[in-house]
Amino acid sequence: MTRWSRFNIISVALGFAFLYLPIVLLVVFSFNESRLVTVWAGFSTKWYVALFNNQGLMDAAWVTIRVALLSATVATVLGTMAALSLVRFTRFRGRMLFSGMVYAPLVMPEVITGLSLLLLFVAIGFDRGFWTVTLAHITLTMCFVAVVVQSRLLSFDRSVEEAALDLGATPLRTFFEVTLPIIAPAVFSGWVLAFTLSLDDLVIASFTSGPGATTLPMKIYSQVRLGVTPEINAACTLLIALVTVGVIIASIVTKRRELQRQRDEHAAFAGR
Amino acid sequence: MTKLGSRIFSRLVIIVPYAWLLFFFLIPFVIVFRISLSTTAIAQPPYEPVFRLADGLAGIIDNIRQLSFDNFVWLTEDALYINAYLSSLKIAGISTFLTLLIAYPIAYGMAQAPRTWRPTLLMLVILPFWTSFLIRVYAWIAILKPEGLLNQLLISAGLINEPLIILNTNWAIYIGIVYSYLPFMILPIYSALEKMDHSLIEAAEDLGCPPISAFWKVTFPLSLAGVVAGCMLVFIPAVGEFVIPDLLGGSQTLMIGKTLWTEFNANRDWPVSAAVATVLLLILVVPIVFFQNMQAKAEERGK
């Protein structure tokens, strides 16, 4: 009896159909000739042309990309530090509170995070705009990076680090020359995750943004409320394409790295 | 580098993210709570009292006297808020249950798949999670509309004569939540099922246990940790969900995330929205702490 029974195949296939069909339909109708998004009237790329001529959307896209690049980079540094503290330092004052603060943002409803950050910025008199959105996104995404990097650190063979330390390397040098190269794939996928989360976020950005810093999701949201148009479908398709390419590159890089590491380990053992 | 230098390095690794989260995550909640005790004012910022260091100690004490729990009393007196909290919990509960029903067979099927396929299947579950939440919710509007794709399909198949009204009802919200949060439920269940020792099932079956009761007596209890983690990951954010009820729900849909948003953006009543957020946080504190303990335990086991 095979374990991969017909029931299992059907449930997985239906599950994937459910997950992907809405996205596929959205992409298909971005190439629709008609203004209606539910009636097919022939192939056309005119909505993409309209999209690139829409200055408002293009400006918003530029703001979003800058926020995402900056916040993902800072969040990766902070998140990696947080992961190191959680895994390497099992005892320090306030560790419970710290791990609580790392995990809570993962499930915290966005309206609460957004409102509380906005009230913080108002209380300290920080003008809302590009920087407040970036700070808010760093805070949210560093926790996701921390979880990704933490899971890699937990399966980490510490003997290589100990060897470096025994041979007289300083902890700082050990970190940059031994630890970081090994956890690099996890750090990189943490960065990609942070980037896409920032690219996506509507609620927190709406609360913390100010004049002149409208992000793409905010722009899409305000247009969706007026009605569904093929132009929005086109914008969404481009975003999906961007993210898909990013994820595929990330997974190829991770796989290559993993293979390289295995090859190096084999070579090291063979040389012994 | 000196020994002192490396000690500073390891201190910094803890202190920098710790300080960041204290300042940008914990202190904001203290501010939310403080503003929930204020009254609305036509000023900038639109609440009073505003604490200023320049007022001196007497001024601060005077300001503290002005704080009151009136906003919380107001929340209990106005049926709108109580109904919004209850209906959010109900909608999140039903959606979590529906997500579990749909996710379990998928996760089970994935865990039974040939070993070489599993990384690809896993990737396919994670991929939609990377595409925008807003876009995924938006995609359903065109499907669920009265003249939308689902109704066109059902009418042309001769299954219905009149279009089904799904958009702007609670059903649309259930579909939206199940769809958006499905990967969060599949992943923990899958990882619990994948680790399971299959010989246990074989042992049960060899001893004459029918497959269905073997599932309920062996497989399901072993996957319970994954089920609970998945339910937490869906239920907690779903209670405060804003985008899904706003885009798919109707005008009569009450959800607290939407109420908070309206209170803040349309009515510009900051103290009341801060009070709404405080109560929502108090409701969610129990499941959040529960979730964190589970995470901490999983982390312990990982060592």
Side-chain angles (χ1 to χ4, degrees):
Chain A
M1 190 190 81
T2 166
R3 290 167 59 199
W4 181 234
S5 68
R6 188 172 297 162
F7 172 76
N8 290 332
I9 296 174
I10 291 174
S11 54
V12 171
L14 283 179
F16 284 138
F18 178 62
L19 278 176
Y20 282 94
L21 212 54
I23 300 175
V24 171
L25 287 172
L26 178 114
V27 172
V28 168
F29 277 95
S30 75
F31 293 104
N32 194 6
E33 176 71 39
S34 158
R35 181 151 260 292
L36 292 169
V37 280
T38 47
V39 183
W40 183 253
F43 181 85
S44 160
T45 51
K46 68 178 178 189
W47 302 111
Y48 288 86
V49 178
L51 182 66
F52 282 103
N53 292 326
N54 184 335
Q55 196 55 44
L57 270 180
M58 285 293 119
D59 289 345
W62 180 229
V63 170
T64 312
I65 288 174
R66 281 188 310 165
V67 168
L69 282 174
L70 190 59
S71 62
T73 308
V74 179
T76 304
V77 176
L78 288 172
T80 306
M81 288 167 102
L84 275 172
S85 335
L86 282 176
V87 177
R88 291 302 158 77
F89 304 102
T90 45
R91 267 166 225 280
F92 58 85
R93 219 171 296 148
R95 190 180 181 281
M96 274 284 283
L97 176 67
F98 184 57
S99 70
M101 288 193 301
V102 172
Y103 297 131
L106 306 179
V107 287
M108 187 66 69
E110 287 175 313
V111 283
I112 297 185
T113 316
L115 177 73
S116 65
L117 279 162
L118 165 68
L119 295 179
L120 170 80
F121 293 135
V122 171
I124 59 175
F126 201 151
D127 278 340
R128 281 183 278 159
F130 175 83
W131 289 105
T132 46
V133 180
T134 309
L135 287 172
H137 282 181
I138 293 170
T139 312
L140 174 74
T141 57
M142 68 177 278
C143 302
F144 284 87
V145 176
V147 171
V148 172
V149 175
Q150 184 193 26
S151 69
R152 179 68 190 88
L153 280 172
L154 284 172
S155 62
F156 186 95
D157 180 7
R158 287 198 71 177
S159 59
V160 279
E161 261 181 3
E162 278 155 15
L165 289 170
D166 285 349
L167 294 170
T170 61
L172 193 62
R173 198 163 158 215
T174 309
F175 175 76
F176 281 107
E177 289 186 14
V178 179
T179 317
L180 194 57
I182 296 177
I183 64 168
V187 173
F188 180 65
S189 49
W191 186 90
V192 176
L193 180 61
F195 183 80
T196 55
L197 283 170
S198 166
L199 213 61
D200 264 8
D201 168 64
L202 165 74
V203 176
I204 293 174
S206 301
F207 273 106
T208 53
S209 170
T214 307
T215 65
L216 195 56
M218 288 165 69
K219 197 87 192 166
I220 292 177
Y221 173 72
S222 64
Q223 297 210 356
V224 166
R225 301 213 60 182
L226 301 175
V228 181
T229 65
E231 206 176 326
I232 297 294
N233 279 26
C236 294
T237 304
L238 287 181
L239 262 182
I240 292 172
L242 188 73
V243 171
T244 311
V245 169
V247 171
I248 290 172
I249 291 175
S251 67
I252 291 173
V253 168
T254 317
K255 207 159 224 172
R256 278 243 175 102
R257 282 254 181 183
E258 190 65 21
L259 284 176
Q260 183 66 39
R261 196 178 59 85
Q262 283 173 1
R263 236 176 283 141
D264 289 351
E265 273 173 13
H266 278 297
F269 281 118
R272 186 165 56 178
Chain B
M1 201 167 73
T2 60
K3 206 159 194 163
L4 182 71
S6 46
R7 197 178 300 156
I8 290 173
F9 170 68
S10 57
R11 280 280 170 277
L12 273 181
V13 165
I14 299 177
I15 289 168
V16 173
Y18 206 136
W20 184 285
L21 286 174
L22 274 180
F23 189 74
F24 287 105
F25 190 71
L26 201 64
I27 290 180
F29 288 131
V30 178
I31 296 174
V32 168
F33 181 62
R34 186 202 104 29
I35 289 173
S36 71
L37 303 177
S38 312
T39 43
T40 328
I42 303 171
Q44 195 56 253
Y47 54 85
E48 59 186 15
V50 178
F51 286 81
R52 284 190 200 87
L53 281 178
D55 294 345
L57 192 62
I60 288 173
I61 291 170
D62 190 42
N63 280 340
I64 290 173
R65 286 219 187 89
Q66 288 185 43
L67 296 176
S68 77
F69 281 92
D70 287 354
N71 292 317
F72 291 95
V73 176
W74 160 254
L75 290 191
T76 59
E77 280 169 355
D78 193 333
L80 172 85
Y81 298 103
I82 298 174
N83 288 341
Y85 283 115
L86 291 177
S87 113
S88 299
L89 290 172
K90 191 191 98 190
I91 290 175
I94 293 175
S95 317
T96 307
F97 181 68
L98 292 175
T99 314
L100 177 62
L101 282 186
I102 295 175
Y104 203 99
I106 301 175
Y108 188 80
M110 283 169 62
Q112 305 291 312
R115 200 165 284 277
T116 47
W117 289 24
R118 288 184 204 165
T120 317
L121 293 176
L122 202 57
M123 184 74 195
L124 283 172
V125 172
I126 297 170
L127 201 60
F129 171 71
W130 298 82
T131 62
S132 172
F133 191 78
L134 180 62
I135 293 174
R136 282 180 289 150
V137 175
Y138 164 78
W140 279 97
I141 300 178
I143 298 172
L144 298 178
K145 281 203 295 193
E147 70 280 14
L149 300 164
L150 180 69
N151 278 316
Q152 286 179 26
L153 183 78
L154 291 177
I155 289 173
S156 62
L159 289 172
I160 51 169
N161 297 318
E162 290 287 306
L164 298 172
I165 304 299
I166 304 176
L167 192 66
N168 303 331
T169 67
N170 279 0
W171 277 105
I173 300 181
Y174 297 145
I175 294 174
I177 295 180
V178 169
Y179 181 69
S180 307
Y181 288 96
L182 194 60
F184 290 107
M185 186 71 90
I186 295 178
L187 293 175
I189 298 178
Y190 166 77
S191 75
L193 285 173
E194 211 226 350
K195 271 184 248 144
M196 204 181 77
D197 184 357
H198 199 72
S199 57
L200 290 172
I201 295 287
E202 279 161 15
E205 280 173 4
D206 287 349
L207 294 171
C209 186
I212 295 197
S213 67
F215 173 80
W216 286 112
K217 284 186 179 151
V218 181
T219 313
F220 190 75
L222 284 172
S223 66
L224 207 57
V227 170
V228 174
C231 289
M232 292 288 131
L233 284 172
V234 176
F235 180 79
I236 301 169
V239 173
E241 187 53 57
F242 163 73
V243 178
I244 295 171
D246 191 57
L247 291 181
L248 300 180
S251 50
Q252 81 288 1
T253 310
L254 267 180
M255 276 192 84
I256 200 67
K258 205 178 150 190
T259 311
L260 195 158
W261 179 282
T262 320
E263 210 53 78
F264 189 83
N265 288 310
N267 303 348
R268 296 196 55 78
D269 193 336
W270 291 20
V272 165
S273 37
V276 170
T278 309
V279 174
L280 178 57
L281 197 62
L282 287 177
I283 294 173
L284 292 180
V285 140
V286 176
I288 288 176
V289 169
F290 186 66
F291 169 74
Q292 283 172 347
N293 282 342
M294 276 186 25
Q295 284 281 316
K297 264 187 212 145
E299 187 190 319
E300 282 302 309
R301 257 180 278 131
K303 267 179 195 149

